[in-house]
């Protein structure tokens, strides 16, 4: 379990670093420049160093820092960590995230009001630490998922995406098979039909519906972590975030041994070390750990 937790969190960071190179490119542009993009080489519109990550991983780590500091769910602590991160002048920050964090800075509000423009993927991309911390209690995960989401995003599509991604990560860690994970996508489509992905259109934008359609298409049409991630990031668009979300689910599902070592070696060393440490400590604070690791003590 602890190794799978590391795989889910590392999968997020690897997908972020891999996808950042092709962010905002079209599939045709990617083919013309790389044929198939399959190496962590940095660059992209942000001119990243190889292995450098973006807001997907950075905001996830901010959540993890708050939870590990408090050793409990601490929404105000998460907001404080987001504010510290924003003030550090990160290389990239989405406009919806910036607005929500700025509102917290000015008013102290921990829930941004509903907004038609909040159907982006910026809350779903940071679900890995939430899923690990609440592992073993899906109802608790659902509450935490929406609370952290509403710091910056308040829209039914974002909410539904966060809940589905969180469930998929947790159930993958707990041993769900491909059919059981697919059932979760059917539940999502039953409630929000626009997430249907059986006739994938190829859109991979930051609109959370496009994001999850891309993730699901490649998750269920491939047979390995590497194949899934390569498919996702070669769609371009918001490739760092589609890569991050696909990476956390596929990492939990396939496990650590299936993440290519060449990608792990390229990942920024400090980021990799913090991701691995957070993964272990977050799970050790989870309901699953209370039942399985500490039951005899």
């Amino acid at each position: 379990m602890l190794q799978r937790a590391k795989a889910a969190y590392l999968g997020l960071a690897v997908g972020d670093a891999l996808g950042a190179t092709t962010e905002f490119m079209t599939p045709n542009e990617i083919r013309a420049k790389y044929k198939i993009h399959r190496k962590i080489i940095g660059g992209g519109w942000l001119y990243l160093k190889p292995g450098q990550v973006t807001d997907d991983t950075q905001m996830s780590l901010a959540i993890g820092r708050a939870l590990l500091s408090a050793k409990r769910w601490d929404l105000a602590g998460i907001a404080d960590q987001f504010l510290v991160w924003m003030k550090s002048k990160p290389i990239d920050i989405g406009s919806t995230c910036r607005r929500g964090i700025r509102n917290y800075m000015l008013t102290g509000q921990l829930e941004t009001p509903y907004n038609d423009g909040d159907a982006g993927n910026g809350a779903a991309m940071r679900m890995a630490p939430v899923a690990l911390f609440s592992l073993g209690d899906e109802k608790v995960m659902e509450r935490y998922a929406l609370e952290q989401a509403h710091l910056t995003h308040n829209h039914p599509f974002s909410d539904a995406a966060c809940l589905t991604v969180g469930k998929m990560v947790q159930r993958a860690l707990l041993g769900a098979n491909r059919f059981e994970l697919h059932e979760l996508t059917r539940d999502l489509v039953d409630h929000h039909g626009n997430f249907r992905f059986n006739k994938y259109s190829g859109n991979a934008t930051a609109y959370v519906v496009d994001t999850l359609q891309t993730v699901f298409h490649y998750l269920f049409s491939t047979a390995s972590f590497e194949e899934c991630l390569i498919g996702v990031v070669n769609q371009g668009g918001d490739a760092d975030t589609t890569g991050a979300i696909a990476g956390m689910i596929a990492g939990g599902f396939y496990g650590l041994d299936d993440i290519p070592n060449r990608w792990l070696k390229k990942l920024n060393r400090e980021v990799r070390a913090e991701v691995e440490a957070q993964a272990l400590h977050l799970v050790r604070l989870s309901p699953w750990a209370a039942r399985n690791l500490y039951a005899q003590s």
Side-chain angles (χ1 to χ4, degrees):
M1 179 61 73
L2 296 177
Q3 291 301 301
R4 282 189 174 272
K6 285 171 61 174
Y9 214 156
L10 283 169
L12 179 157
V14 163
D16 180 5
L18 183 71
T21 304
T22 56
E23 188 178 13
F24 298 139
M25 296 177 72
T26 67
N28 284 338
E29 289 170 340
I30 295 168
R31 280 192 292 270
K33 187 168 185 178
Y34 302 109
K35 294 186 178 177
I36 298 176
H37 173 54
R38 58 173 71 244
K39 297 179 180 178
I40 293 181
I41 56 174
W45 75 281
L46 292 170
Y47 300 99
L48 300 176
K49 298 175 182 177
Q52 189 175 357
V53 295
T54 71
D55 52 345
D56 307 80
T57 307
Q58 292 167 349
M59 294 193 81
S60 298
L61 289 171
I63 291 176
R65 289 177 196 133
L67 298 180
L68 294 177
S69 176
K71 293 184 171 52
R72 60 176 175 81
W73 182 251
D74 182 7
L75 189 62
I78 293 171
D80 286 338
Q81 285 291 333
F82 283 174
L83 183 55
V84 168
W85 170 72
M86 186 180 76
K87 288 182 175 180
S88 73
K89 302 188 186 315
I91 194 167
D92 186 29
I93 179 171
S95 59
T96 306
C97 289
R98 183 187 295 277
R99 186 193 69 218
I101 299 168
R102 181 170 172 77
N103 286 343
Y104 169 72
M105 178 179 70
L106 296 175
T107 69
Q109 70 176 23
L110 291 172
E111 181 172 5
T112 192
Y114 168 84
N115 190 309
D116 281 338
D118 283 6
N121 55 22
M125 73 185 188
R126 54 191 196 231
M127 275 301 300
V130 179
L132 298 184
F133 181 74
S134 58
L135 183 65
D137 192 329
E138 208 165 86
K139 290 298 182 184
V140 167
M141 183 278 295
E142 291 175 1
R143 178 168 70 86
Y144 293 170
L146 297 184
E147 286 187 5
Q148 71 85 22
H150 290 174
L151 287 170
T152 55
H153 293 66
N154 193 338
H155 190 283
F157 294 167
S158 170
D159 290 353
C162 288
L163 295 177
T164 300
V165 170
K167 289 176 184 178
M168 292 181 80
V169 171
Q170 288 194 341
R171 294 195 192 178
L173 293 175
L174 294 169
N177 61 35
R178 188 179 298 269
F179 299 104
E180 290 167 330
L181 293 184
H182 198 278
E183 179 63 31
L184 291 172
T185 70
R186 292 197 291 274
D187 290 343
L188 173 63
V189 169
D190 284 345
H191 289 90
H192 301 283
N194 51 341
F195 281 96
R196 185 173 289 106
F197 62 97
N198 56 329
K199 294 182 180 179
Y200 177 55
S201 64
N203 293 326
T205 71
Y207 177 43
V208 76
V209 173
D210 290 346
T211 298
L212 289 201
Q213 286 176 335
T214 300
V215 169
F216 295 159
H217 172 74
Y218 286 101
L219 181 67
F220 295 112
S221 64
T222 57
S224 69
F225 179 93
E226 181 177 5
E227 190 181 359
C228 174
L229 268 289
I230 288 175
V232 165
V233 301
N234 278 273
Q235 281 300 122
D238 199 23
D240 60 332
T241 301
T242 54
I245 295 175
M248 70 175 86
I249 300 171
F253 180 69
Y254 288 109
L256 194 57
D257 289 344
D258 210 51
I259 301 178
N261 197 46
R262 69 181 188 280
W263 288 351
L264 292 174
K265 285 182 176 180
K266 280 289 186 180
L267 199 58
N268 176 278
R269 289 183 180 181
E270 292 181 359
V271 168
R272 179 177 177 180
E274 186 173 10
V275 164
E276 291 182 337
Q278 280 198 12
L280 297 179
H281 292 306
L282 288 168
V283 170
R284 287 175 176 141
L285 290 172
S286 71
W288 176 88
R291 290 195 298 269
N292 293 278
L293 295 183
Y294 312 124
Q296 295 179 351
S297 63

